[in-house]
Amino acid sequence: MSTFPPELAGKLIDGKGIARSLTDRIGREVSSFIEQGNAVPGLAVVLVGNDPASEVYVKNKAIQTHRAGMRSFMHMLPQSTKQEELLELLAQLNANPQIHGILVQLPLPPQIDPVVVTNAIAPHKDVDGLGEVNAGRLSLGIDGLVPCTPLGCLMLLQSVHKDMTGKHAVVIGASSLVGKPMAQLLLKQNCTVSVAHIHTRDTRALAREADILVVATGKHGLVRGDWIKPGATVIDVGITRVPTPEGRTRLVGDVAFEEALPIAGHITPVPGGVGPMTIACLLHNTLQAARVTQGQSKGEAL
C-alpha cells in the first residue's frame, strides 16, 4: 500500500490489518472461553472434489482456525460423492458435540443440490449463515449467524463510518451469498438501500448516487471510475485472476481500481481488502456458535 502517494494511500481500507486485529481478538476470546471451562470450539470444513483453488482456500482456513486456538476438522470428499453420502456426513457432524461450526465449501459438483446441503446443516452450526433459518433471522432483524463475506464488508465499512444512518447504499449484485445479506445488514444500519442486478436498467446512474457502494458480481472491471460518486466508500468483493503481459496472472476486482481510487473517499484493494475478512469472520462465527451451544447446555435462551 506504500506504493501510492500519501493522499491516495490514505483512502485504502486495510482489510489485512483489520482482519489481523479481529483474528487476534478472537484468539484472546477463545482462550478466555476455554479457561471458563468450555469446550474448545471446533470447525468442520467439507470439500467435495479436487478444485486446486478451493483446496488452497480450505487449507488456509484450517491454518487460521488452529492459530485462533480452535480445533479444525477437515473432510475431503471425492468429486463423485453422492448427495446422500454428503447428507449422511452432515448428520454425523450435526450430532458431534466437538464440532460447533460446519462449512461446506462451494461450489459443489452438479449431482449435489447446494440448497439441500446448506439446509441440512443444523442452524446453530451454520457458520456460513446460508441456511433458511439464519437467512430468515437476518431478514427479520433477529440475531443469528450472518454470512461471512457480507459480515466482513460491514466491519470494513464500520472502520470508516461510525454511523451509517441515512446514507444511500447501493449493492451491485443480488446473490444469496453476498448481495442479499449485504443489503439486509445495511438496512439494519439505517441506510437507504438499493440493489442492482442483471435486469437493472441503468446501473451506472444508480451507482453514482451511492454514498456507500458494494460491488459483488464476479465481473472484473465492471464498475468504472465514472460510476462512482466523489467521496463515496467503495467495497469491492469481486476477485478474478487475469493474465498479465508478462505471461503471469494477477488478482483484480469488480471495480476498475486505478480509475476509482482518485474519486472514492475510501476503497478496498484487491487483493488485501474483503478477502482476509471472510476467514476472520468465519472464526468469529465459529466462536459465536460455540457460545450458543454452551448457552443451550445451560438452558439459556438463544
Side-chain angles (χ1 to χ4, degrees), residues 197-219:
H197 46 75
I198 194 170
H199 298 293
T200 300
R201 292 183 178 177
D202 193 345
T203 304
R204 174 184 175 276
L206 182 62
R208 283 188 59 82
E209 298 176 3
D211 304 305
I212 293 170
L213 183 63
V214 181
V215 190
T217 67
K219 296 181 179 180

Side-chain angles (χ1 to χ4, degrees), residues 185-287:
L185 288 173
L186 289 165
L187 282 171
K188 198 171 182 179
Q189 296 297 312
N190 300 317
C191 292
T192 299
V193 181
S194 301
V195 179
H197 46 75
I198 194 170
H199 298 293
T200 300
R201 292 183 178 177
D202 193 345
T203 304
R204 174 184 175 276
L206 182 62
R208 283 188 59 82
E209 298 176 3
D211 304 305
I212 293 170
L213 183 63
V214 181
V215 190
T217 67
K219 296 181 179 180
H220 67 88
L222 172 70
V223 174
R224 315 302 302 189
D226 63 359
W227 288 38
I228 296 168
K229 178 181 178 180
T233 300
V234 180
I235 304 294
D236 189 353
V237 183
I239 184 165
T240 305
R241 189 171 292 278
V242 298
T244 66
E246 297 80 17
R248 301 178 182 179
T249 61
R250 66 185 181 100
L251 295 175
V252 297
D254 291 352
V255 178
F257 182 76
E258 290 77 9
E259 295 179 17
L261 181 59
I263 300 169
H266 294 88
I267 187 171
T268 55
V270 177
V274 174
M277 292 298 296
T278 298
I279 294 180
C281 287
L282 175 63
L283 302 179
H284 170 276
N285 281 356
T286 302
L287 177 56

Side-chain angles (χ1 to χ4, degrees), residues 2-290:
S2 59
T3 57
F4 295 98
E7 66 274 14
L8 295 183
K11 295 183 174 189
L12 298 180
I13 302 175
D14 184 7
K16 285 184 178 179
I18 296 171
R20 190 181 309 113
S21 296
L22 176 59
T23 302
D24 290 345
R25 177 170 63 81
I26 292 168
R28 294 191 296 270
E29 291 181 1
V30 167
S31 296
S32 176
F33 183 74
I34 297 170
E35 289 171 1
Q36 294 169 16
N38 299 301
V40 178
L43 172 65
V45 178
V46 181
L47 174 64
V48 184
N50 55 358
D51 178 70
S54 292
E55 287 181 359
V56 170
Y57 192 47
V58 164
K59 289 177 182 177
N60 192 25
K61 288 177 180 177
I63 292 171
Q64 296 298 326
T65 302
H66 285 298
R67 285 180 179 172
M70 304 183 192
R71 299 182 68 185
S72 175
F73 300 83
M74 301 292 298
H75 296 269
M76 315 288 278
L77 306 181
Q79 181 79 13
S80 59
T81 298
K82 297 179 180 178
Q83 180 168 296
E84 293 75 16
E85 295 172 322
L86 178 54
L87 294 176
E88 182 178 346
L89 172 60
L90 292 177
Q92 295 171 4
L93 297 178
N94 283 336
N96 188 337
Q98 293 183 311
I99 293 172
H100 303 92
I102 302 170
L103 182 147
V104 178
Q105 184 68 34
L106 301 176
L108 290 165
Q111 73 273 16
I112 300 176
D113 186 339
V115 175
V116 172
V117 168
T118 299
N119 287 316
I121 300 171
H124 64 283
K125 295 189 177 186
D126 174 26
V127 288
D128 234 359
L130 298 178
E132 292 175 354
V133 172
N134 283 309
R137 286 174 173 167
L138 178 59
S139 179
L140 294 171
I142 301 171
D143 288 342
L145 292 168
V146 177
C148 301
T149 297
L151 181 59
C153 292
L154 177 63
M155 292 181 181
L156 294 177
L157 286 169
Q158 289 173 328
S159 74
V160 176
H161 302 283
K162 303 305 178 186
D163 183 4
M164 288 178 255
T165 299
K167 293 187 180 297
H168 186 190
V170 174
V171 180
I172 302 180
S175 71
S176 297
L177 186 64
V178 180
K180 290 177 182 176
M182 189 74 245
Q184 295 293 340
L185 288 173
L186 289 165
L187 282 171
K188 198 171 182 179
Q189 296 297 312
N190 300 317
C191 292
T192 299
V193 181
S194 301
V195 179
H197 46 75
I198 194 170
H199 298 293
T200 300
R201 292 183 178 177
D202 193 345
T203 304
R204 174 184 175 276
L206 182 62
R208 283 188 59 82
E209 298 176 3
D211 304 305
I212 293 170
L213 183 63
V214 181
V215 190
T217 67
K219 296 181 179 180
H220 67 88
L222 172 70
V223 174
R224 315 302 302 189
D226 63 359
W227 288 38
I228 296 168
K229 178 181 178 180
T233 300
V234 180
I235 304 294
D236 189 353
V237 183
I239 184 165
T240 305
R241 189 171 292 278
V242 298
T244 66
E246 297 80 17
R248 301 178 182 179
T249 61
R250 66 185 181 100
L251 295 175
V252 297
D254 291 352
V255 178
F257 182 76
E258 290 77 9
E259 295 179 17
L261 181 59
I263 300 169
H266 294 88
I267 187 171
T268 55
V270 177
V274 174
M277 292 298 296
T278 298
I279 294 180
C281 287
L282 175 63
L283 302 179
H284 170 276
N285 281 356
T286 302
L287 177 56
Q288 181 181 342

